[in-house]
Amino acid sequence: MILLVHAHPHPRQSVANRALLDAVRNLPGLTVQSLYDAYPDFDIDPAAERARLDAARLVIWQHPIHWYGAPALLKLWFEEVLSYGYAYGEGGTALHGKDCLWVATTGGPPDWYTPDGPHGHEFSAFAPAVKQTARFCGTNWLPPLVVHAAHHIGADGLAAQGAAYRKRLQDWIDTHG
Ligand SMILES: Cc1cc2nc3c(=O)[nH]c(=O)nc-3n(C[C@H](O)[C@H](O)[C@H](O)COP(=O)(O)O)c2cc1C
């Protein structure tokens, strides 16, 4: 019922995304598709990915922010899986009405995401491309979960974010189950 598409270029070196995943992975009805484990050669199987999407009512895109957006393999997944006639265009209604949740972690703390900060913009300035990808495909864009300063909030901070993530998904399951 929930498809969690996880994109971390080095999953075994991950701290923050791993903590978030560990907090939710045993929820009932949740399937984790870890793209960099599944496709180390970037040779995505679009039909298999679409079959997973078809079975889901909530799609999660979870990844670290790399150069202000999604890691390359998730971008390629968008390009190859969300195709004309499937996700948009004539007959492209497969994702209509599904919910979509974006879960992103950043290295930068919130005050780096300001006009005068190192990243030059509010974090929300970097969200429209992924948000509009979801909306163009007819999904319902849920409020994102963004964990800033992922390597500075410590184990307790990550545990709190993981608990909040799990509660979001448990509430969704309770409402849609
Ligand atoms: C190639 C690369 C690019 C990155 N770009 C950004 C960025 O644009 N903005 C930012 O806040 N952090 C950036 N970071 C930091 C990561 O987002 C951060 O280390 C990650 O979210 C931590 O999660 P993890 O422990 O699961 O890897 C970048 C890290 C790497 C390796």
Side-chain angles (χ1 to χ4, degrees), residues 8 13-18 64-68 105-108 113 119 150-151:
H8 194 297
Q13 294 169 23
S14 168
V15 175
N17 282 273
R18 182 198 300 239
I65 295 292
H66 278 184
W67 291 115
Y68 306 110
T105 64
T106 77
Y113 282 97
H119 295 314
H151 287 173

Side-chain angles (χ1 to χ4, degrees), residues 10-77:
H10 305 287
R12 269 150 288 282
Q13 294 169 23
S14 168
V15 175
N17 282 273
R18 182 198 300 239
L20 294 175
L21 264 188
D22 287 347
V24 303
R25 68 164 74 245
N26 68 349
L27 283 167
L30 183 143
T31 299
V32 177
Q33 172 65 339
S34 193
L35 294 184
Y36 281 86
D37 286 325
Y39 303 115
D41 299 327
F42 278 47
D43 191 12
I44 292 172
D45 180 345
E49 295 303 310
R50 289 187 199 117
R52 286 189 189 87
L53 283 170
D54 290 344
R57 289 171 64 195
L58 167 62
V59 179
I60 301 171
W61 295 326
Q62 182 188 321
H63 62 87
I65 295 292
H66 278 184
W67 291 115
Y68 306 110
L73 188 51
L74 182 57
K75 183 64 167 54
L76 186 64
W77 186 94

